PDB file of all heavy atoms in Angstrom:
ATOM      1  N   ASN A  19     123.397 113.699 105.084  1.00  0.00           N
ATOM      2  CA  ASN A  19     122.149 114.223 105.619  1.00  0.00           C
ATOM      3  C   ASN A  19     122.401 115.585 106.242  1.00  0.00           C
ATOM      4  O   ASN A  19     123.378 115.772 106.975  1.00  0.00           O
ATOM      5  CB  ASN A  19     121.569 113.269 106.671  1.00  0.00           C
ATOM      6  CG  ASN A  19     121.197 111.929 106.078  1.00  0.00           C
ATOM      7  OD1 ASN A  19     120.617 111.855 104.998  1.00  0.00           O
ATOM      8  ND2 ASN A  19     121.525 110.856 106.785  1.00  0.00           N
ATOM      9  N   ILE A  20     121.539 116.537 105.956  1.00  0.00           N
ATOM     10  CA  ILE A  20     121.721 117.909 106.442  1.00  0.00           C
ATOM     11  C   ILE A  20     121.357 117.962 107.923  1.00  0.00           C
ATOM     12  O   ILE A  20     120.263 117.576 108.322  1.00  0.00           O
ATOM     13  CB  ILE A  20     120.848 118.893 105.646  1.00  0.00           C
ATOM     14  CG1 ILE A  20     121.241 118.876 104.155  1.00  0.00           C
ATOM     15  CG2 ILE A  20     120.978 120.304 106.215  1.00  0.00           C
ATOM     16  CD1 ILE A  20     120.347 119.730 103.268  1.00  0.00           C
ATOM     17  N   VAL A  21     122.294 118.463 108.736  1.00  0.00           N
ATOM     18  CA  VAL A  21     122.033 118.590 110.170  1.00  0.00           C
ATOM     19  C   VAL A  21     121.897 120.048 110.597  1.00  0.00           C
ATOM     20  O   VAL A  21     121.337 120.333 111.643  1.00  0.00           O
ATOM     21  CB  VAL A  21     123.142 117.887 111.000  1.00  0.00           C
ATOM     22  CG1 VAL A  21     123.140 116.396 110.747  1.00  0.00           C
ATOM     23  CG2 VAL A  21     124.517 118.464 110.702  1.00  0.00           C
ATOM     24  N   GLU A  22     122.418 120.978 109.802  1.00  0.00           N
ATOM     25  CA  GLU A  22     122.276 122.416 110.062  1.00  0.00           C
ATOM     26  C   GLU A  22     122.322 123.135 108.719  1.00  0.00           C
ATOM     27  O   GLU A  22     122.947 122.654 107.767  1.00  0.00           O
ATOM     28  CB  GLU A  22     123.397 122.961 110.960  1.00  0.00           C
ATOM     29  CG  GLU A  22     123.366 122.497 112.404  1.00  0.00           C
ATOM     30  CD  GLU A  22     122.387 123.278 113.262  1.00  0.00           C
ATOM     31  OE1 GLU A  22     121.775 124.252 112.750  1.00  0.00           O
ATOM     32  OE2 GLU A  22     122.228 122.916 114.437  1.00  0.00           O
ATOM     33  N   GLY A  23     121.678 124.278 108.634  1.00  0.00           N
ATOM     34  CA  GLY A  23     121.756 125.084 107.426  1.00  0.00           C
ATOM     35  C   GLY A  23     121.477 126.537 107.761  1.00  0.00           C
ATOM     36  O   GLY A  23     120.843 126.837 108.776  1.00  0.00           O
ATOM     37  N   ASN A  24     121.942 127.450 106.916  1.00  0.00           N
ATOM     38  CA  ASN A  24     121.645 128.861 107.140  1.00  0.00           C
ATOM     39  C   ASN A  24     120.462 129.289 106.277  1.00  0.00           C
ATOM     40  O   ASN A  24     119.884 128.482 105.526  1.00  0.00           O
ATOM     41  CB  ASN A  24     122.892 129.732 106.894  1.00  0.00           C
ATOM     42  CG  ASN A  24     123.315 129.755 105.427  1.00  0.00           C
ATOM     43  OD1 ASN A  24     122.662 129.195 104.558  1.00  0.00           O
ATOM     44  ND2 ASN A  24     124.433 130.423 105.173  1.00  0.00           N
ATOM     45  N   ALA A  25     120.101 130.561 106.361  1.00  0.00           N
ATOM     46  CA  ALA A  25     118.937 131.046 105.623  1.00  0.00           C
ATOM     47  C   ALA A  25     119.125 130.914 104.116  1.00  0.00           C
ATOM     48  O   ALA A  25     118.151 130.793 103.372  1.00  0.00           O
ATOM     49  CB  ALA A  25     118.660 132.503 106.001  1.00  0.00           C
ATOM     50  N   GLY A  26     120.378 130.907 103.659  1.00  0.00           N
ATOM     51  CA  GLY A  26     120.653 130.855 102.231  1.00  0.00           C
ATOM     52  C   GLY A  26     120.242 129.569 101.555  1.00  0.00           C
ATOM     53  O   GLY A  26     120.084 129.541 100.322  1.00  0.00           O
ATOM     54  N   ILE A  27     120.046 128.482 102.315  1.00  0.00           N
ATOM     55  CA  ILE A  27     119.726 127.204 101.654  1.00  0.00           C
ATOM     56  C   ILE A  27     118.287 127.175 101.148  1.00  0.00           C
ATOM     57  O   ILE A  27     117.901 126.219 100.477  1.00  0.00           O
ATOM     58  CB  ILE A  27     120.013 125.982 102.543  1.00  0.00           C
ATOM     59  CG1 ILE A  27     119.039 125.910 103.718  1.00  0.00           C
ATOM     60  CG2 ILE A  27     121.456 125.967 103.008  1.00  0.00           C
ATOM     61  CD1 ILE A  27     119.095 124.577 104.442  1.00  0.00           C
ATOM     62  N   ARG A  28     117.512 128.230 101.416  1.00  0.00           N
ATOM     63  CA  ARG A  28     116.188 128.313 100.789  1.00  0.00           C
ATOM     64  C   ARG A  28     116.311 128.325  99.272  1.00  0.00           C
ATOM     65  O   ARG A  28     115.382 127.935  98.565  1.00  0.00           O
ATOM     66  CB  ARG A  28     115.455 129.568 101.277  1.00  0.00           C
ATOM     67  CG  ARG A  28     114.917 129.456 102.691  1.00  0.00           C
ATOM     68  CD  ARG A  28     113.855 130.500 102.955  1.00  0.00           C
ATOM     69  NE  ARG A  28     114.391 131.844 102.815  1.00  0.00           N
ATOM     70  CZ  ARG A  28     114.845 132.575 103.834  1.00  0.00           C
ATOM     71  NH1 ARG A  28     114.839 132.068 105.051  1.00  0.00           N
ATOM     72  NH2 ARG A  28     115.299 133.784 103.628  1.00  0.00           N
ATOM     73  N   LEU A  29     117.454 128.780  98.786  1.00  0.00           N
ATOM     74  CA  LEU A  29     117.720 128.747  97.347  1.00  0.00           C
ATOM     75  C   LEU A  29     117.586 127.333  96.797  1.00  0.00           C
ATOM     76  O   LEU A  29     117.208 127.145  95.636  1.00  0.00           O
ATOM     77  CB  LEU A  29     119.140 129.281  97.093  1.00  0.00           C
ATOM     78  CG  LEU A  29     119.604 129.417  95.651  1.00  0.00           C
ATOM     79  CD1 LEU A  29     118.862 130.562  94.963  1.00  0.00           C
ATOM     80  CD2 LEU A  29     121.109 129.664  95.601  1.00  0.00           C
ATOM     81  N   PHE A  30     117.903 126.336  97.621  1.00  0.00           N
ATOM     82  CA  PHE A  30     117.889 124.941  97.184  1.00  0.00           C
ATOM     83  C   PHE A  30     116.596 124.210  97.541  1.00  0.00           C
ATOM     84  O   PHE A  30     116.314 123.149  96.989  1.00  0.00           O
ATOM     85  CB  PHE A  30     119.058 124.181  97.802  1.00  0.00           C
ATOM     86  CG  PHE A  30     120.402 124.772  97.513  1.00  0.00           C
ATOM     87  CD1 PHE A  30     121.391 124.798  98.482  1.00  0.00           C
ATOM     88  CD2 PHE A  30     120.689 125.317  96.269  1.00  0.00           C
ATOM     89  CE1 PHE A  30     122.635 125.334  98.218  1.00  0.00           C
ATOM     90  CE2 PHE A  30     121.932 125.858  95.990  1.00  0.00           C
ATOM     91  CZ  PHE A  30     122.916 125.868  96.965  1.00  0.00           C
ATOM     92  N   THR A  31     115.828 124.739  98.482  1.00  0.00           N
ATOM     93  CA  THR A  31     114.633 124.025  98.945  1.00  0.00           C
ATOM     94  C   THR A  31     113.344 124.570  98.346  1.00  0.00           C
ATOM     95  O   THR A  31     112.331 123.866  98.341  1.00  0.00           O
ATOM     96  CB  THR A  31     114.539 124.070 100.475  1.00  0.00           C
ATOM     97  OG1 THR A  31     114.518 125.440 100.918  1.00  0.00           O
ATOM     98  CG2 THR A  31     115.730 123.368 101.111  1.00  0.00           C
ATOM     99  N   ASP A  32     113.362 125.783  97.823  1.00  0.00           N
ATOM    100  CA  ASP A  32     112.157 126.360  97.228  1.00  0.00           C
ATOM    101  C   ASP A  32     111.719 125.552  96.010  1.00  0.00           C
ATOM    102  O   ASP A  32     112.508 125.302  95.096  1.00  0.00           O
ATOM    103  CB  ASP A  32     112.407 127.810  96.791  1.00  0.00           C
ATOM    104  CG  ASP A  32     112.494 128.764  97.967  1.00  0.00           C
ATOM    105  OD1 ASP A  32     112.088 128.376  99.076  1.00  0.00           O
ATOM    106  OD2 ASP A  32     112.978 129.907  97.773  1.00  0.00           O
ATOM    107  N   GLY A  33     110.463 125.110  96.032  1.00  0.00           N
ATOM    108  CA  GLY A  33     109.887 124.494  94.856  1.00  0.00           C
ATOM    109  C   GLY A  33     110.223 123.031  94.627  1.00  0.00           C
ATOM    110  O   GLY A  33     109.829 122.469  93.601  1.00  0.00           O
ATOM    111  N   VAL A  34     110.938 122.387  95.539  1.00  0.00           N
ATOM    112  CA  VAL A  34     111.261 120.969  95.327  1.00  0.00           C
ATOM    113  C   VAL A  34     110.153 120.106  95.907  1.00  0.00           C
ATOM    114  O   VAL A  34     109.314 120.566  96.683  1.00  0.00           O
ATOM    115  CB  VAL A  34     112.627 120.597  95.951  1.00  0.00           C
ATOM    116  CG1 VAL A  34     113.721 121.531  95.463  1.00  0.00           C
ATOM    117  CG2 VAL A  34     112.558 120.614  97.472  1.00  0.00           C
ATOM    118  N   ALA A  35     110.119 118.836  95.526  1.00  0.00           N
ATOM    119  CA  ALA A  35     109.077 117.918  95.993  1.00  0.00           C
ATOM    120  C   ALA A  35     109.113 117.805  97.518  1.00  0.00           C
ATOM    121  O   ALA A  35     110.197 117.666  98.106  1.00  0.00           O
ATOM    122  CB  ALA A  35     109.274 116.551  95.353  1.00  0.00           C
ATOM    123  N   PRO A  36     107.944 117.864  98.172  1.00  0.00           N
ATOM    124  CA  PRO A  36     107.909 117.827  99.648  1.00  0.00           C
ATOM    125  C   PRO A  36     108.590 116.602 100.239  1.00  0.00           C
ATOM    126  O   PRO A  36     109.202 116.690 101.312  1.00  0.00           O
ATOM    127  CB  PRO A  36     106.407 117.835  99.954  1.00  0.00           C
ATOM    128  CG  PRO A  36     105.770 118.460  98.759  1.00  0.00           C
ATOM    129  CD  PRO A  36     106.602 118.049  97.588  1.00  0.00           C
ATOM    130  N   GLU A  37     108.515 115.444  99.558  1.00  0.00           N
ATOM    131  CA  GLU A  37     109.112 114.234 100.139  1.00  0.00           C
ATOM    132  C   GLU A  37     110.629 114.333 100.238  1.00  0.00           C
ATOM    133  O   GLU A  37     111.246 113.656 101.066  1.00  0.00           O
ATOM    134  CB  GLU A  37     108.732 112.987  99.331  1.00  0.00           C
ATOM    135  CG  GLU A  37     109.094 113.030  97.870  1.00  0.00           C
ATOM    136  CD  GLU A  37     107.959 113.558  97.002  1.00  0.00           C
ATOM    137  OE1 GLU A  37     107.109 114.308  97.520  1.00  0.00           O
ATOM    138  OE2 GLU A  37     107.922 113.187  95.810  1.00  0.00           O
ATOM    139  N   LEU A  38     111.230 115.184  99.417  1.00  0.00           N
ATOM    140  CA  LEU A  38     112.682 115.367  99.498  1.00  0.00           C
ATOM    141  C   LEU A  38     113.080 116.240 100.680  1.00  0.00           C
ATOM    142  O   LEU A  38     114.259 116.322 101.018  1.00  0.00           O
ATOM    143  CB  LEU A  38     113.221 115.978  98.201  1.00  0.00           C
ATOM    144  CG  LEU A  38     113.095 115.116  96.945  1.00  0.00           C
ATOM    145  CD1 LEU A  38     113.573 115.883  95.717  1.00  0.00           C
ATOM    146  CD2 LEU A  38     113.879 113.821  97.106  1.00  0.00           C
ATOM    147  N   LEU A  39     112.092 116.902 101.296  1.00  0.00           N
ATOM    148  CA  LEU A  39     112.356 117.785 102.439  1.00  0.00           C
ATOM    149  C   LEU A  39     111.945 117.143 103.752  1.00  0.00           C
ATOM    150  O   LEU A  39     111.927 117.801 104.787  1.00  0.00           O
ATOM    151  CB  LEU A  39     111.625 119.122 102.247  1.00  0.00           C
ATOM    152  CG  LEU A  39     112.008 119.898 100.986  1.00  0.00           C
ATOM    153  CD1 LEU A  39     111.224 121.204 100.910  1.00  0.00           C
ATOM    154  CD2 LEU A  39     113.506 120.175 100.960  1.00  0.00           C
ATOM    155  N   THR A  40     111.612 115.854 103.703  1.00  0.00           N
ATOM    156  CA  THR A  40     111.295 115.127 104.929  1.00  0.00           C
ATOM    157  C   THR A  40     112.596 114.707 105.606  1.00  0.00           C
ATOM    158  O   THR A  40     113.492 114.148 104.975  1.00  0.00           O
ATOM    159  CB  THR A  40     110.459 113.870 104.600  1.00  0.00           C
ATOM    160  OG1 THR A  40     109.265 114.272 103.923  1.00  0.00           O
ATOM    161  CG2 THR A  40     110.109 113.114 105.872  1.00  0.00           C
ATOM    162  N   ALA A  41     112.706 115.009 106.887  1.00  0.00           N
ATOM    163  CA  ALA A  41     113.943 114.706 107.624  1.00  0.00           C
ATOM    164  C   ALA A  41     114.195 113.207 107.667  1.00  0.00           C
ATOM    165  O   ALA A  41     113.251 112.415 107.807  1.00  0.00           O
ATOM    166  CB  ALA A  41     113.854 115.267 109.042  1.00  0.00           C
ATOM    167  N   PRO A  42     115.453 112.786 107.517  1.00  0.00           N
ATOM    168  CA  PRO A  42     116.609 113.641 107.249  1.00  0.00           C
ATOM    169  C   PRO A  42     116.710 114.002 105.766  1.00  0.00           C
ATOM    170  O   PRO A  42     116.558 113.140 104.900  1.00  0.00           O
ATOM    171  CB  PRO A  42     117.799 112.753 107.659  1.00  0.00           C
ATOM    172  CG  PRO A  42     117.318 111.352 107.398  1.00  0.00           C
ATOM    173  CD  PRO A  42     115.847 111.360 107.682  1.00  0.00           C
ATOM    174  N   ILE A  43     116.952 115.290 105.492  1.00  0.00           N
ATOM    175  CA  ILE A  43     117.100 115.746 104.114  1.00  0.00           C
ATOM    176  C   ILE A  43     118.508 115.396 103.647  1.00  0.00           C
ATOM    177  O   ILE A  43     119.494 115.797 104.272  1.00  0.00           O
ATOM    178  CB  ILE A  43     116.887 117.266 104.018  1.00  0.00           C
ATOM    179  CG1 ILE A  43     115.514 117.651 104.570  1.00  0.00           C
ATOM    180  CG2 ILE A  43     117.042 117.738 102.576  1.00  0.00           C
ATOM    181  CD1 ILE A  43     115.308 119.152 104.694  1.00  0.00           C
ATOM    182  N   ASN A  44     118.596 114.648 102.553  1.00  0.00           N
ATOM    183  CA  ASN A  44     119.902 114.268 102.027  1.00  0.00           C
ATOM    184  C   ASN A  44     120.333 115.270 100.968  1.00  0.00           C
ATOM    185  O   ASN A  44     119.630 115.470  99.971  1.00  0.00           O
ATOM    186  CB  ASN A  44     119.847 112.855 101.446  1.00  0.00           C
ATOM    187  CG  ASN A  44     121.217 112.355 101.048  1.00  0.00           C
ATOM    188  OD1 ASN A  44     121.680 112.593  99.936  1.00  0.00           O
ATOM    189  ND2 ASN A  44     121.889 111.675 101.965  1.00  0.00           N
ATOM    190  N   ALA A  45     121.484 115.887 101.169  1.00  0.00           N
ATOM    191  CA  ALA A  45     121.934 116.963 100.286  1.00  0.00           C
ATOM    192  C   ALA A  45     122.194 116.475  98.861  1.00  0.00           C
ATOM    193  O   ALA A  45     121.875 117.177  97.893  1.00  0.00           O
ATOM    194  CB  ALA A  45     123.197 117.604 100.855  1.00  0.00           C
ATOM    195  N   LEU A  46     122.755 115.283  98.715  1.00  0.00           N
ATOM    196  CA  LEU A  46     123.065 114.787  97.370  1.00  0.00           C
ATOM    197  C   LEU A  46     121.796 114.356  96.644  1.00  0.00           C
ATOM    198  O   LEU A  46     121.655 114.582  95.439  1.00  0.00           O
ATOM    199  CB  LEU A  46     124.058 113.620  97.448  1.00  0.00           C
ATOM    200  CG  LEU A  46     125.417 113.935  98.078  1.00  0.00           C
ATOM    201  CD1 LEU A  46     126.362 112.755  97.915  1.00  0.00           C
ATOM    202  CD2 LEU A  46     126.033 115.193  97.478  1.00  0.00           C
ATOM    203  N   ARG A  47     120.868 113.739  97.371  1.00  0.00           N
ATOM    204  CA  ARG A  47     119.589 113.365  96.755  1.00  0.00           C
ATOM    205  C   ARG A  47     118.841 114.623  96.322  1.00  0.00           C
ATOM    206  O   ARG A  47     118.277 114.682  95.225  1.00  0.00           O
ATOM    207  CB  ARG A  47     118.762 112.550  97.745  1.00  0.00           C
ATOM    208  CG  ARG A  47     117.439 112.057  97.183  1.00  0.00           C
ATOM    209  CD  ARG A  47     116.663 111.215  98.194  1.00  0.00           C
ATOM    210  NE  ARG A  47     117.368 109.976  98.511  1.00  0.00           N
ATOM    211  CZ  ARG A  47     117.826 109.663  99.713  1.00  0.00           C
ATOM    212  NH1 ARG A  47     117.681 110.524 100.729  1.00  0.00           N
ATOM    213  NH2 ARG A  47     118.446 108.516  99.926  1.00  0.00           N
ATOM    214  N   LEU A  48     118.843 115.645  97.177  1.00  0.00           N
ATOM    215  CA  LEU A  48     118.189 116.912  96.863  1.00  0.00           C
ATOM    216  C   LEU A  48     118.799 117.547  95.610  1.00  0.00           C
ATOM    217  O   LEU A  48     118.100 118.117  94.777  1.00  0.00           O
ATOM    218  CB  LEU A  48     118.326 117.869  98.053  1.00  0.00           C
ATOM    219  CG  LEU A  48     117.675 119.245  97.929  1.00  0.00           C
ATOM    220  CD1 LEU A  48     116.160 119.124  97.878  1.00  0.00           C
ATOM    221  CD2 LEU A  48     118.093 120.132  99.102  1.00  0.00           C
ATOM    222  N   THR A  49     120.115 117.409  95.452  1.00  0.00           N
ATOM    223  CA  THR A  49     120.802 118.023  94.320  1.00  0.00           C
ATOM    224  C   THR A  49     120.476 117.340  92.998  1.00  0.00           C
ATOM    225  O   THR A  49     120.201 118.005  91.995  1.00  0.00           O
ATOM    226  CB  THR A  49     122.326 117.987  94.554  1.00  0.00           C
ATOM    227  OG1 THR A  49     122.636 118.720  95.748  1.00  0.00           O
ATOM    228  CG2 THR A  49     123.075 118.612  93.381  1.00  0.00           C
ATOM    229  N   LEU A  50     120.509 116.008  92.966  1.00  0.00           N
ATOM    230  CA  LEU A  50     120.428 115.290  91.697  1.00  0.00           C
ATOM    231  C   LEU A  50     119.036 114.760  91.358  1.00  0.00           C
ATOM    232  O   LEU A  50     118.785 114.408  90.197  1.00  0.00           O
ATOM    233  CB  LEU A  50     121.425 114.126  91.696  1.00  0.00           C
ATOM    234  CG  LEU A  50     122.905 114.494  91.811  1.00  0.00           C
ATOM    235  CD1 LEU A  50     123.766 113.240  91.673  1.00  0.00           C
ATOM    236  CD2 LEU A  50     123.310 115.520  90.759  1.00  0.00           C
ATOM    237  N   HIS A  51     118.146 114.676  92.323  1.00  0.00           N
ATOM    238  CA  HIS A  51     116.819 114.115  92.057  1.00  0.00           C
ATOM    239  C   HIS A  51     116.076 114.972  91.029  1.00  0.00           C
ATOM    240  O   HIS A  51     116.101 116.211  91.110  1.00  0.00           O
ATOM    241  CB  HIS A  51     116.013 114.036  93.353  1.00  0.00           C
ATOM    242  CG  HIS A  51     114.833 113.124  93.272  1.00  0.00           C
ATOM    243  ND1 HIS A  51     113.670 113.455  92.603  1.00  0.00           N
ATOM    244  CD2 HIS A  51     114.631 111.871  93.778  1.00  0.00           C
ATOM    245  CE1 HIS A  51     112.806 112.459  92.713  1.00  0.00           C
ATOM    246  NE2 HIS A  51     113.355 111.493  93.407  1.00  0.00           N
ATOM    247  N   PRO A  52     115.387 114.350  90.064  1.00  0.00           N
ATOM    248  CA  PRO A  52     114.640 115.122  89.053  1.00  0.00           C
ATOM    249  C   PRO A  52     113.589 116.047  89.647  1.00  0.00           C
ATOM    250  O   PRO A  52     113.269 117.084  89.050  1.00  0.00           O
ATOM    251  CB  PRO A  52     113.982 114.028  88.190  1.00  0.00           C
ATOM    252  CG  PRO A  52     114.831 112.817  88.392  1.00  0.00           C
ATOM    253  CD  PRO A  52     115.346 112.897  89.806  1.00  0.00           C
ATOM    254  N   GLU A  53     113.042 115.690  90.822  1.00  0.00           N
ATOM    255  CA  GLU A  53     112.061 116.559  91.471  1.00  0.00           C
ATOM    256  C   GLU A  53     112.706 117.445  92.531  1.00  0.00           C
ATOM    257  O   GLU A  53     112.010 118.130  93.278  1.00  0.00           O
ATOM    258  CB  GLU A  53     110.943 115.715  92.077  1.00  0.00           C
ATOM    259  CG  GLU A  53     110.132 114.974  91.030  1.00  0.00           C
ATOM    260  CD  GLU A  53     108.954 114.233  91.634  1.00  0.00           C
ATOM    261  OE1 GLU A  53     108.509 114.610  92.743  1.00  0.00           O
ATOM    262  OE2 GLU A  53     108.483 113.276  91.008  1.00  0.00           O
TER     263      GLU A  53
END
């Protein structure tokens, strides 16, 4: 689960499904999930 991030992680969060960005955001789920 992501506990801190820098401005660069917008590269990974732009355009993904909103439910994947609900805290706690899981980095591995965010990476592999189809959405």
Side-chain angles (χ1 to χ4, degrees):
N19 296 317
I20 299 175
V21 296
E22 291 279 356
N24 68 4
I27 69 168
R28 285 198 299 265
L29 184 71
F30 304 141
T31 58
D32 287 345
V34 307
E37 57 267 25
L38 295 176
L39 301 180
T40 302
I43 303 172
N44 187 273
L46 299 188
R47 183 178 295 117
L48 181 67
T49 300
L50 297 185
H51 197 285
E53 295 185 22

